Amino acid sequence: QVQLVESGGGLVQTGGSLRLSCAASGRTFSIYTMGWFRQAPGKEREFVASITRLEGVTYYADSVKGRFTISRDNAKNTVYLQMNSLKPEDTAIYYCASGRARISRSGYDDWGQGTQVTVSS
């Protein structure tokens, strides 16, 4: 099993930036893909971005393309989500996830506890 711990959330004004981090531990050798998801109050959890651990292939939700960037540091077993030009609708709990296959929007095996991101208008 893989343990995931997110950090970097907080309160930011519209147009601001935040960088989320997700540190993986445990059976990290089994990770093929890491992803970020978010869940706003009263809404379902939605896919944000993903990256494959070896090739660095990335996928993004249309709502964040051009504003968010996912990256990874394999030496640190950490994945990042750089969020720029933040909007109030980006307010949500952001979750990190890992999967043992080449996936993008679904099929993840392990999840973190989440970190709150709040964008004020």
Side-chain angles (χ1 to χ4, degrees):
Q1 194 165 0
V2 173
Q3 292 78 45
L4 303 169
V5 179
E6 304 97 334
S7 62
L11 174 65
V12 64
Q13 292 185 335
T14 296
S17 299
L18 281 175
R19 189 176 82 153
L20 305 183
S21 300
C22 173
S25 61
R27 299 173 65 88
T28 57
F29 61 86
S30 68
I31 298 173
Y32 198 107
T33 305
M34 294 190 74
W36 286 97
F37 289 74
R38 66 187 182 186
Q39 187 167 20
K43 295 188 177 181
E44 293 186 353
R45 185 172 61 192
E46 64 175 358
F47 170 80
V48 175
S50 67
I51 187 167
T52 58
R53 188 166 176 263
L54 294 180
E55 304 95 334
V57 174
T58 58
Y59 293 96
Y60 294 93
D62 288 343
S63 58
V64 306
K65 279 181 183 177
R67 300 188 298 122
F68 291 11
T69 302
I70 189 170
S71 62
R72 88 277 194 226
D73 184 335
N74 291 339
K76 295 181 179 180
N77 289 316
T78 300
V79 66
Y80 304 98
L81 186 68
Q82 177 66 43
M83 306 186 294
N84 299 328
S85 302
L86 283 162
K87 306 174 182 179
E89 50 263 44
D90 294 317
T91 296
I93 299 175
Y94 283 71
Y95 297 91
C96 177
S98 68
R100 293 187 284 272
R102 182 167 182 164
I103 52 180
S104 57
R105 297 175 181 271
S106 62
Y108 290 83
D109 302 293
D110 296 291
W111 294 82
Q113 294 298 308
T115 185
Q116 176 71 47
V117 171
T118 303
V119 185
S120 63
S121 57

